[in-house]
Amino acid sequence: GMATCALRPDQTVTCWGYDFEEPITGDTTAPDPYALTGATNVATFGVGTGHMCLVHVDGTASCIGRNFWGTLGDGTMDDSQTLVNVILP
């Protein structure tokens, strides 16, 4: 499943559809739009299959969801139900 998300004028992200806060169980039943916890000062974002990554206005990045092949960029292969910091080169 995938989510649809919107970047709001206050630089937060609201999503609906796939619930990134339950990526391990694959819950696709987020009933209402929800604010993505920790998604603040967001400049842009991208949604993939079961994961999402954000670029913040300060140039840092964070990701959440399924971590196939290290998709979340935190140096692990562990899924995450919360945003994790991307290790940038």
Side-chain angles (χ1 to χ4, degrees):
M2 291 178 63
T4 300
C5 299
L7 180 59
R8 301 179 65 95
D10 65 358
Q11 298 176 322
T12 63
V13 174
T14 296
C15 299
W16 53 98
Y18 185 84
D19 187 348
F20 287 105
E21 294 177 353
E22 298 293 338
I24 294 170
T25 62
D27 178 11
T28 58
T29 59
D32 298 311
Y34 57 94
L36 185 62
T37 303
T40 57
N41 301 314
V42 177
T44 190
F45 67 91
V47 179
T49 303
H51 71 281
M52 174 181 190
C53 293
L54 316 171
V55 176
H56 303 274
V57 294
D58 65 359
T60 61
S62 57
C63 297
I64 187 172
R66 296 194 178 274
N67 199 8
F68 301 119
W69 307 289
T71 305
L72 299 185
D74 66 347
T76 75
M77 299 284 278
D78 302 326
D79 294 348
S80 181
Q81 295 179 338
T82 58
L83 285 165
V84 295
N85 292 326
V86 174
I87 301 168
L88 297 172

